[in-house]
Amino acid sequence: MAFLKVVKDDITTITVDAVVNAANNSLLGGGGVDGAIHRAAGPELLAACRPLGGCETGNAVLTAAFRLPCRYVIHTVGPIWSGGSNNEAGALASCYHHCLQLADRHAVVSIAFPAISCGVYGFPIYPAAKIAVESVMDYCSQTHCSIKSVLFVCFGDEVKMAYEGALKQV
Ligand code: ADP
């Protein structure tokens, strides 16, 4: 089973094998954590994303990390919150699942997640944190999973509290 940890930090400064980017469907960069990751990784990241032709909501793709202090960036596209009855929870769980599956296939040992969908996309942080923790526990309890360390990187105190609460519940 992997070790799960909550930290308050800027994800672009974290040294792990893979960082997850909360991207949009175009994969061509945006605001929030996406903008920060592209700025820190350098223009090579956009050049690596462009030929991928986008990514569907709930899915994930992997690129090199260029100037970031890690090996890979895993770009996933979270759901836009529209009240909760539009399979937002299922789509968010699918993001975590696909990121972990890709990481596992690339023999990633340590991975850092931002709070996918919890910024501009408006997913409420408490249910989102519960989905994040449960999805990771679910995936990493598989016997052959390469991932040994999962960091939930929070940009603010409320986000951190939500993750700490979700971790205590499981
Ligand atoms: P989304 O469009 O999926 O909602 P956002 O980037 O708007 O993505 O926000 C996702 C989460 O990432 C929010 O909690 C936001 O505060 C956080 N965030 C923004 N910049 C960073 C960063 N540099 N490191 C870690 N988290 C960040």
Side-chain angles (χ1 to χ4, degrees), residues 9-11 22 31-34 36 114-122 153 155 159:
D9 214 333
D10 174 351
I11 202 165
V33 72
D34 194 10
I116 302 162
S117 281
C118 295
V120 173
Y121 282 5
V153 184
F155 218 38
V159 175

Side-chain angles (χ1 to χ4, degrees), residues 3 10 13 22 31 44 48 51 59 74 76 81 92 103 105 110 113 124 133 170:
F3 180 68
D10 174 351
T13 66
E44 298 92 339
N59 213 338
I74 297 176
T76 190
W81 179 261
L92 187 61
R105 281 194 197 133
S110 55
F113 282 96
V133 169
V170 291

Side-chain angles (χ1 to χ4, degrees), residues 138-157:
D138 231 36
Y139 191 91
C140 295
S141 58
Q142 296 179 83
T143 39
H144 296 299
C145 180
S146 70
I147 301 158
K148 299 293 171 231
S149 158
V150 179
L151 281 183
F152 294 111
V153 184
C154 306
F155 218 38
D157 289 321

Side-chain angles (χ1 to χ4, degrees), residues 98-135:
H98 282 107
C99 287
L100 293 162
Q101 198 172 50
L102 258 183
D104 200 7
R105 281 194 197 133
H106 286 79
V108 161
V109 174
S110 55
I111 185 167
F113 282 96
I116 302 162
S117 281
C118 295
V120 173
Y121 282 5
F123 205 117
I125 186 62
Y126 283 89
K130 187 165 183 278
I131 290 167
V133 169
E134 285 177 358
S135 303

